[in-house]
Amino acid sequence: MAEETVTLEVRDYVAVATLNRPPVNAVNWAMRDRIIEIMDQATDRDDIRVVLLTAQGSVFCAGADLKQRPDPGKHGEYWWHNRLTRETGNSIKECAKPVIAAVNGAALGAGFGLAAACDFMLASENAVFGMPEINVGLAGGAAMLSRLFPAPKVRRMMFTGQRLPASELYRLGLLEACVPQEKLFEEAYALAVEVASKAPLGIKYAKLSCNMVELMPAKDAYRFEQNFTYELSKTEDAAEARRATLEKRPPVYKGR
């Protein structure tokens, strides 16, 4: 069942979504459906303010399941597969709630794509990242890598299947933390709880701003964000944030 490929547990306004296809959490169609379902539900659920995406075992995700490939000879199947693949990452980016990746091991190909689609990543020291499509008869990944790396590094990774250790991504500022594997979940969960403590509407607008301003010239982007500041100024949570600051106490947000 799709529900078994990614488990979900919600507490403290944090939804822990765990990839669950041992031994290497390879992505199949059911897992993609389940990820999309979780992200869409998170957008609507008031008890979820942050999604923490991680995996069971010692491999985050070794990539797409090579035993389940679309048949190019079957009319429409490959285009359906490609659409499902695109929408998996899109569901993470478009989720109204922040999504944090806790990468507890190798994140390769589609696995790297899942992590990179998140708002930010943390990783264990044993984690490695790569796009090995060239080695398994596939193509793709440049669009994702180009958001993270300069052009020469993208090409080397695409042309050779080069894998980078978590320590290198941390050095480049692409990871929020690089910690021993046994400490990863604790570190990632604490960060998720911190984000979840912020005003829900403010976080919603902040994520939408981050998504949209990447596509705009700086002048238009700032004007776009000012619209959100205006809308937030009319909310109860904004008034509560100001009162709490003046009264030197933690705010109590209601999401309205």
Side-chain angles (χ1 to χ4, degrees):
M1 294 177 63
E3 289 80 4
E4 297 172 350
T5 63
V6 186
T7 62
L8 184 68
E9 180 184 357
V10 180
R11 63 180 188 274
D12 303 323
Y13 293 106
V14 176
V16 180
T18 305
L19 306 183
N20 186 42
R21 286 198 75 220
V24 296
N25 301 310
V27 182
N28 65 356
W29 295 329
M31 180 182 281
R32 292 190 182 283
D33 279 333
R34 177 60 171 158
I35 290 171
I36 293 169
E37 177 185 46
I38 287 172
M39 298 303 159
D40 287 347
Q41 286 184 2
T43 288
D44 287 338
R45 288 179 58 168
D46 292 335
D47 63 330
I48 296 175
R49 295 183 181 177
V50 178
V51 179
L52 178 58
L53 181 64
T54 189
Q56 63 79 38
S58 58
V59 175
F60 178 74
C61 177
D65 190 343
L66 296 180
K67 297 177 181 177
Q68 188 185 69
R69 299 297 302 166
D71 181 358
K74 193 177 282 188
H75 292 169
E77 184 169 299
Y78 225 103
W79 308 117
W80 164 81
H81 168 82
N82 285 350
R83 183 172 292 107
L84 180 62
T85 300
R86 291 194 304 271
E87 289 309 312
T88 306
N90 288 342
S91 72
I92 296 172
K93 294 175 186 174
E94 295 170 2
C95 179
K97 313 298 171 59
V99 184
I100 300 171
V103 182
N104 55 302
L108 305 175
F112 194 1
L114 290 177
C118 296
D119 293 287
F120 41 84
M121 303 180 287
L122 299 84
S124 56
E125 292 172 341
N126 65 307
V128 295
F129 298 80
M131 197 60 62
E133 269 67 1
I134 192 70
N135 297 325
V136 293
L138 300 174
M144 181 273 291
L145 293 178
S146 295
R147 295 182 60 247
L148 303 175
F149 301 102
K153 177 57 70 177
V154 171
R155 290 170 186 265
R156 179 171 178 183
M157 294 178 74
M158 293 288 291
F159 297 171
T160 69
Q162 181 189 35
R163 300 183 182 189
L164 299 177
S167 58
E168 177 64 5
L169 268 70
Y170 183 68
R171 185 186 72 83
L172 294 171
L174 302 178
L175 297 177
E176 291 301 303
C178 180
V179 298
Q181 190 174 40
E182 64 272 17
K183 295 183 178 180
L184 175 64
F185 184 82
E186 179 184 357
E187 184 99 3
Y189 191 81
L191 181 53
V193 169
E194 180 184 358
V195 175
S197 72
K198 306 303 179 182
L201 288 175
I203 289 291
K204 176 182 176 180
Y205 283 131
K207 177 162 183 177
L208 186 55
S209 290
C210 289
N211 283 347
M212 296 303 294
V213 298
E214 292 180 350
L215 310 175
M216 299 178 179
K219 178 182 177 182
D220 295 337
Y222 186 51
R223 178 66 183 86
F224 177 80
E225 289 188 276
Q226 286 181 319
N227 292 336
F228 290 155
T229 300
Y230 170 71
E231 294 299 330
L232 279 172
S233 71
K234 299 185 291 184
T235 66
E236 293 181 24
D237 279 356
E240 166 63 8
R242 289 190 293 272
R243 283 195 302 269
T245 299
L246 293 171
E247 295 168 9
K248 296 180 173 54
R249 61 171 175 80
V252 179
Y253 295 121
K254 299 179 180 179
R256 59 177 186 262

